[in-house]
């Protein structure tokens, strides 16, 4: 998978920008984006992270999220909406266009395009709500829209699962999308924590843990259904479990809110009034995009309607004809297929008969002693009858004649296959096609309404008044609430486990509703099996990561000949061993060495994963020496997948560029201009020879 393009509209300092990326070929897989600090590199990185993963991508954004596993000095997570409140370009706010968008087009591993577009809408007061996101996905050359099947209630979760399957699971994403600040933050932690997190992502632990919890809940629900309604003991335990779950929900909510928010003490009392003197590039670009979207949706509606009509007029009509008639027709076509094959063989033989007859006559006429005329004629007639007998009797199941002469060869077989497939059609298929048509028309009308409203507002000069009030709690209070909630959750989980075990033992003794209890027991067994798998799988995987990490670290680090190998214990403790078995990792604790060590882990995880997802790195060379920088760059770019390097104007330059020049595919430079005092990032292509 590689990126084809990234388009930003009203995203931070980008009014409207589009990055077009050529397809990697041979060893040329590196895209270099250069700019001084605060020119838009990190904004581009954040656009990819949030554009693909949405709310789940917030963990990839250092200035929005500090690690949940960090110490007290680290910044707590800001909320998704609070972070997005600062992404909308100021000029968009001024003109009343309260939306920004990121459109990402990729080519998957099979060579088919996927376009993913997110639009974030903002309220009149400039605030964003999680429900204000709009995600659209088109897949394939025909740009088929990707939408949840009918009956799916949690559409956001369905899209999240689809992206995890077709792009990358969020648990692995931070090893493919990271920046220098993130690497430095990792380098300050215990390496065992980093290794554990990486290998758990490789093995899909987050999914397995979620499944384990779901199975435990399912088992409990089955046992609840097995209880007698009048049993007082059961009622009391059920009430206790319900009370614990309710308390858990409240504390989890407190924990989530505290962990996803940074105190943002901002109150704007005065109304802001500005005269808008220009349309703005981003506004015009969004207008064109909405018009294009309308056309695409209407084209999808047209295709859906045609597909529906074909289904109704042909497939459904034949389905109504009945199974017996279709079966009779299929049998007749099979008989005619045999007849066609028989006639083809017979006709092919007839073409060679004259040659056979002439050669046969010559051979018997030269026999010694010669045959008299009567015997000669009898032998010739017997040969002709024997030749004709090759084709008789006709094969079993052969038709007497062609009732459907217009169907020959593959056309007949396609007709047979089609008639056999008729029985597979259902009412749901018709309903799904009708729903797709209605949805496409609804989206088309929405896009039309939006661009018409936008078009009428573009030429106008209007006053835009915004009053923003937001009261947030102090950082210390949020930290205290989060820690208190986490501590309380630990106790509640322990209590809940005991109550569920007590309830299970009681129901088992009662022996009622055995099927439900069997299902509960199966769920418990699978949950236990997953728990055992979680405990055993991680130690088994550390060897492969350690081997790859050794190779990568030796390519990056100073004095790599000092280390024989990197070893990872089953507990994920990391050791840098000399030939004599001395652990150098406890000795070398410099900032540069720690950062190289972390970068080696990140590279090893991405290599072992086997995924070809784009590798996007924002300013990766801070705190490194010249030799380390060259080693890191060579190692990062030594991969088959696409690599995007976001570099300051002092990082990937000179000999660092020369070290990877044979891998450079394309280069961009970010420039800053101003519009009424507001910064606007522009994108310029670079000549690779001038880099």
């Amino acid at each position: 998978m590689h990126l084809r393009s990234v388009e930003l509209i009203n995203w931070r300092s980008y009014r409207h920008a589009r990055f077009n990326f050529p397809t990697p070929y041979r060893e040329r897989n590196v895209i270099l984006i250069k700019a001084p600090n605060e020119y838009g590199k990190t904004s581009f990185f954040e656009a990819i992270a949030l554009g693909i993963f949405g709310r789940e991508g917030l963990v990839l954004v250092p200035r929005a999220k500090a690690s949940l596993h960090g110490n007290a000095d680290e910044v707590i997570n800001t909320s998704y909406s609070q972070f997005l409140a600062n992404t909308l370009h100021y000029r968009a706010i001024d003109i009343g266009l309260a939306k920004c968008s990121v459109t990402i087009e990729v080519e998957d591993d099979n060579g088919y395009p996927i376009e993913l577009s997110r639009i974030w809408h903002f309220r009149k007061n400039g605030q964003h709500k999680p429900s204000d996101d709009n995600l659209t996905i088109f897949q394939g050359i025909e740009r088929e829209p990707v939408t949840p099947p009918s009956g799916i209630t949690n559409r956001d979760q369905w899209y999240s699962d689809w992206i995890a399957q077709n792009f990358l699971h969020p648990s692995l994403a931070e090893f493919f999308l990271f920046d220098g600040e993130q690497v430095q933050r990792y380098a300050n932690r215990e390496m065992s924590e980093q290794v554990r997190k990486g290998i758990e992502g490789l093995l899909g632990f987050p999914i397995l843990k979620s499944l384990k919890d779901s199975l435990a809940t399912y088992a409990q629900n089955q046992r609840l259904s097995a209880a007698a309604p009048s049993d007082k003991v059961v009622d009391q335990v059920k009430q206790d479990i319900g009370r614990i779950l309710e308390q858990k929900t409240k504390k989890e909510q407190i924990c989530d809110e505290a962990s996803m928010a940074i105190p943002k003490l901002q109150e704007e009392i005065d109304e802001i009034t500005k005269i808008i003197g220009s349309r703005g590039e981003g506004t015009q670009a969004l207008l064109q995009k909405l018009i294009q979207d309308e056309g695409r949706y209407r084209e999808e509606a047209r295709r859906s309607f045609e597909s529906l009509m074909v289904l109704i007029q042909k497939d459904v009509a034949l389905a109504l004809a009945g199974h017996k008639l279709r079966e009779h027709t299929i049998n007749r076509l099979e008989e005619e297929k045999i007849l066609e094959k028989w006639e083809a063989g017979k006709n092919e033989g007839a073409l060679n008969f004259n040659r056979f007859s002439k050669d046969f006559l010559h051979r018997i006429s030269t026999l010694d002693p010669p045959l008299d005329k009567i015997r000669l004629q009898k032998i010739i007639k017997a040969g002709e009858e024997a030749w004709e007998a090759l084709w008789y009797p006709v094969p079993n199941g052969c038709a007497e004649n062609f009732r459907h002469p217009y169907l020959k060869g593959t056309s007949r077989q396609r007709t047979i296959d089609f008639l056999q497939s008729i029985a597979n059609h259902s009412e749901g298929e018709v309903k799904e096609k009708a729903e797709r048509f209605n949805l496409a028309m609804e989206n088309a009308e929405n896009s039309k309404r939006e661009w018409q409203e936008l078009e009428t507002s573009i030429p106008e000069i209007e006053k835009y008044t915004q009053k923003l009030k937001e009261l947030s709690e102090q950082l210390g209070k949020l930290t205290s609430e989060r820690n208190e909630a986490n501590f309380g959750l630990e106790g509640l989980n322990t209590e809940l486990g005991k109550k569920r075990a007590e309830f299970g033992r009681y129901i088992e003794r009662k022996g009622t509703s055995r099927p439900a209890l069997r299902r509960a027991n199966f769920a418990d067994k699978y949950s236990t099996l997953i728990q055992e798998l979680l405990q055993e799988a991680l130690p088994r995987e550390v060897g492969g990561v350690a081997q790859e990490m050794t190779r990568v670290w030796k390519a990056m680090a100073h004095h790599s000949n000092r280390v024989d190998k990197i070893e990872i214990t089953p507990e994920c403790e990391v050791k840098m061993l000399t030939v004599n078995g001395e652990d150098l990792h406890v000795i070398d604790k410099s900032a540069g060495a720690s950062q190289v060590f972390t970068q080696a882990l990140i590279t090893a995880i991405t290599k072992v994963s086997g995924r070809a997802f784009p590798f996007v790195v924002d300013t990766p060379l801070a705190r490194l020496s010249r030799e380390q920088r060259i080693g890191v760059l060579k190692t990062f770019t030594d991969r088959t997948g696409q690599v995007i390097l976001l570099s300051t104007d002092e990082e990937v330059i000179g000999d660092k560029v020369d070290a990877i020049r044979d891998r450079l595919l394309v280069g961009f430079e970010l420039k800053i201009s101003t519009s009424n005092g507001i910064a606007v990032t522009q994108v310029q292509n670079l000549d690779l020879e001038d880099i």
Side-chain angles (χ1 to χ4, degrees):
M1 173 180 286
H2 63 268
L3 290 169
R4 281 183 169 185
S5 66
V6 177
E7 184 178 24
L8 314 176
I9 297 177
N10 289 327
W11 178 267
R12 290 196 177 272
S13 61
Y14 293 92
R15 295 289 300 284
H16 177 228
R18 182 179 177 88
F19 296 81
N20 292 310
F21 302 131
T23 301
Y25 65 95
R26 295 195 293 273
E27 291 187 348
R28 294 196 176 272
N29 62 326
V30 177
I31 296 164
L32 179 62
I33 301 178
K34 296 178 61 178
N37 287 328
E38 299 184 0
Y39 269 50
K41 298 188 307 300
T42 300
S43 296
F44 172 81
F45 175 88
E46 293 167 349
I48 293 179
L50 297 184
I52 295 177
F53 297 104
R55 285 189 291 272
E56 293 180 321
L58 199 66
V59 298
L60 308 173
V61 179
R63 62 182 174 186
K65 180 187 183 302
S67 171
L68 290 175
H69 304 287
N71 55 44
D73 295 330
E74 290 181 314
V75 183
I76 303 176
N77 305 342
T78 62
S79 71
Y80 182 63
S81 292
Q82 284 177 320
F83 177 76
L84 286 172
N86 297 317
T87 61
L88 186 62
H89 194 277
Y90 285 113
R91 186 59 62 202
I93 296 176
D94 292 344
I95 63 176
L97 181 61
K99 64 178 68 176
C100 60
S101 68
V102 174
T103 300
I104 296 172
E105 184 180 8
V106 304
E107 184 175 305
D108 66 17
D109 296 336
N110 297 318
Y112 292 102
I114 300 175
E115 182 185 285
L116 187 152
S117 181
R118 288 187 190 270
I119 298 179
W120 290 273
H121 299 268
F122 296 82
R123 306 297 173 88
K124 291 183 179 181
N125 62 358
Q127 291 299 295
H128 170 271
K129 299 294 182 183
S131 58
D132 294 340
D133 292 6
N134 182 25
L135 170 64
T136 56
I137 303 176
F138 296 94
Q139 187 179 31
I141 299 175
E142 298 296 329
R143 290 182 53 82
E144 291 285 341
V146 176
T147 56
S150 58
I152 295 295
T153 56
N154 192 340
R155 296 172 62 88
D156 290 343
Q157 185 60 49
W158 187 92
Y159 276 118
S160 178
D161 293 341
W162 190 93
I163 291 171
Q165 294 174 13
N166 291 273
F167 283 75
L168 191 71
H169 194 276
S171 62
L172 270 180
E174 61 182 301
F175 292 94
F176 287 85
L177 304 172
F178 68 92
D179 70 356
E181 182 181 341
Q182 186 174 340
V183 171
Q184 292 173 30
R185 188 170 68 246
Y186 282 169
N188 292 331
R189 300 187 203 156
E190 289 296 327
M191 181 57 67
S192 61
E193 180 186 339
Q194 302 175 47
V195 172
R196 183 179 299 277
K197 184 177 180 63
I199 298 179
E200 285 184 352
L202 278 176
L203 298 175
F205 274 26
I207 299 174
L208 290 174
K209 289 178 180 178
S210 176
L211 176 59
K212 181 176 72 70
D213 293 340
S214 297
L215 286 170
T217 301
Y218 173 80
Q220 186 60 48
N221 290 337
Q222 289 297 306
R223 290 191 173 96
L224 285 172
S225 67
S230 60
D231 197 314
K232 295 182 178 180
V233 176
V234 171
D235 288 342
Q236 183 59 50
V237 178
K238 286 167 61 177
Q239 291 176 12
D240 292 341
I241 291 175
R243 172 183 54 80
I244 296 171
L245 290 174
E246 184 178 354
Q247 292 177 355
K248 271 194 63 178
T249 300
K250 291 181 179 179
K251 289 193 177 295
E252 286 171 350
Q253 183 177 359
I254 293 173
C255 185
D256 290 342
E257 291 177 355
S259 297
M260 292 297 292
I262 269 185
K264 187 179 179 183
L265 213 53
Q266 181 182 357
E267 183 176 348
E268 194 171 323
I269 304 174
D270 300 331
E271 295 183 351
I272 302 172
T273 305
K274 292 184 179 180
I275 303 290
I276 307 304
S278 62
R279 291 185 172 186
E281 185 181 358
T283 306
Q284 190 65 31
L286 185 56
L287 174 64
Q288 295 301 319
K289 180 175 177 55
L290 289 171
I291 294 175
Q292 292 174 0
D293 286 346
E294 182 197 356
R296 291 170 179 171
Y297 285 127
R298 292 199 185 281
E299 176 62 20
E300 168 58 18
R302 183 191 65 78
R303 291 199 301 264
S304 300
F305 184 79
E306 290 180 354
S307 177
L308 178 62
M309 289 298 100
V310 168
L311 184 64
I312 293 175
Q313 296 173 1
K314 184 172 63 174
D315 297 18
V316 175
L318 287 174
L320 294 174
H323 172 74
K324 289 186 177 180
L325 180 58
R326 291 198 308 274
E327 191 67 28
H328 178 75
T329 304
I330 291 172
N331 292 337
R332 177 65 190 190
L333 291 175
E334 292 285 1
E335 293 173 355
E336 291 183 12
K337 182 167 64 173
I338 297 173
L339 175 61
E340 182 182 25
K341 184 177 180 180
W342 177 77
E343 285 192 346
K346 185 172 180 295
N347 293 335
E348 181 69 22
L351 295 176
N352 297 316
F353 177 77
N354 290 334
R355 185 163 57 87
F356 166 79
S357 178
K358 183 178 180 181
D359 184 77
F360 180 69
L361 180 62
H362 172 72
R363 291 177 185 274
I364 63 177
S365 64
T366 58
L367 293 175
D368 188 22
L371 300 171
D372 58 45
K373 185 174 182 181
I374 294 176
R375 286 186 175 87
L376 180 62
Q377 289 177 348
K378 287 183 177 181
I379 290 175
I380 292 174
K381 183 177 181 181
E384 292 174 348
E385 291 174 350
W387 178 274
E388 186 71 15
L390 291 174
W391 310 105
Y392 293 95
V394 298
N396 292 331
C398 182
E400 296 180 358
N401 52 47
F402 289 104
R403 187 176 298 169
H404 308 283
Y406 46 85
L407 294 177
K408 298 289 185 181
T410 57
S411 298
R412 181 189 294 110
Q413 187 59 50
R414 284 198 300 269
T415 303
I416 292 173
D417 294 341
F418 173 70
L419 289 174
Q420 291 174 337
S421 69
I422 292 298
N424 297 329
H425 292 299
S426 64
E427 179 183 351
E429 187 175 358
V430 176
K431 182 179 180 181
E432 182 179 357
K433 291 183 180 296
E435 288 178 350
R436 176 170 288 191
F437 167 77
N438 292 332
L439 179 61
M441 285 299 299
E442 180 182 352
N443 288 335
E445 291 300 321
N446 290 339
S447 296
K448 179 180 179 180
R449 182 171 58 255
E450 286 189 32
W451 73 253
Q452 286 179 339
E453 293 175 355
L454 184 60
E455 187 179 49
T456 58
S457 67
I458 285 177
E460 296 179 357
I461 299 177
E462 61 178 7
K463 294 182 179 180
Y464 182 75
T465 303
Q466 180 180 9
K467 187 176 182 180
L468 177 62
K469 290 184 178 180
E470 181 175 319
L471 184 63
S472 60
E473 298 178 329
Q474 297 291 329
L475 179 60
K477 182 179 179 181
L478 288 174
T479 304
S480 176
E481 287 183 353
R482 186 191 66 173
N483 293 341
E484 181 182 350
N486 280 328
F487 180 77
L489 281 172
E490 292 180 4
L492 288 172
N493 284 328
T494 301
E495 186 180 358
L496 179 61
K498 293 179 179 178
K499 286 293 182 181
R500 281 176 168 169
E502 176 187 348
F503 183 79
R505 290 191 298 269
Y506 181 78
I507 295 299
E508 290 287 351
R509 288 197 301 269
K510 298 291 288 185
T512 57
S513 302
R514 301 304 301 178
L517 294 180
R518 284 197 297 270
R519 290 192 291 269
N521 289 334
F522 277 127
D524 282 338
K525 289 179 181 179
Y526 284 122
S527 179
T528 302
L529 178 62
I530 292 174
Q531 181 61 35
E532 293 173 353
L533 177 64
L534 294 174
Q535 294 172 350
E536 295 179 6
L538 192 142
R540 294 176 181 269
E541 192 71 19
V542 295
V545 175
Q547 184 177 357
E548 181 63 26
M549 198 171 170
T550 300
R551 185 192 69 80
V552 173
W553 184 85
K554 287 187 174 184
M556 289 182 175
H558 282 318
H559 311 300
S560 58
N561 57 344
R562 294 186 304 163
V563 176
D564 177 55
K565 65 178 180 179
I566 292 175
E567 183 180 283
I568 303 175
T569 69
E571 293 75 30
C572 295
E573 294 295 331
V574 182
K575 299 179 180 180
M576 298 169 58
L577 300 178
T578 66
V579 177
N580 298 326
E582 183 182 7
D583 184 8
L584 297 181
H585 184 51
V586 298
I587 300 174
D588 192 354
K589 290 293 187 179
S590 66
S594 297
Q595 186 167 329
V596 169
F597 208 59
T598 298
Q599 288 170 325
L601 170 65
I602 290 172
T603 306
I605 293 295
T606 58
K607 290 291 185 68
V608 174
S609 74
R611 301 299 300 271
F613 191 81
F615 191 59
V616 185
V617 191
D618 185 9
T619 42
L621 305 182
R623 300 188 182 184
L624 300 181
S625 66
R626 173 189 172 277
E627 183 179 346
Q628 287 173 326
R629 289 187 175 197
I630 292 178
V632 167
L633 283 175
K634 285 185 174 181
T635 306
F636 275 175
T637 56
D638 182 21
R639 59 179 62 231
T640 57
Q642 188 180 50
V643 179
I644 300 178
L645 296 177
L646 304 171
S647 167
T648 68
D649 52 352
E650 298 179 352
E651 276 193 297
V652 186
I653 58 175
D655 55 352
K656 271 75 71 179
V657 172
D658 294 337
I660 61 171
R661 189 173 295 279
D662 60 340
R663 286 191 168 273
L664 286 178
L665 178 64
V666 69
F668 300 93
E669 184 174 12
L670 305 183
K671 298 286 189 179
I672 287 289
S673 63
T674 58
S675 174
N676 295 332
I678 296 176
V680 177
T681 298
Q682 298 174 335
V683 182
Q684 295 183 1
N685 284 73
L686 290 175
D687 188 336
L688 293 181
E689 295 182 357
D690 295 337
I691 296 179

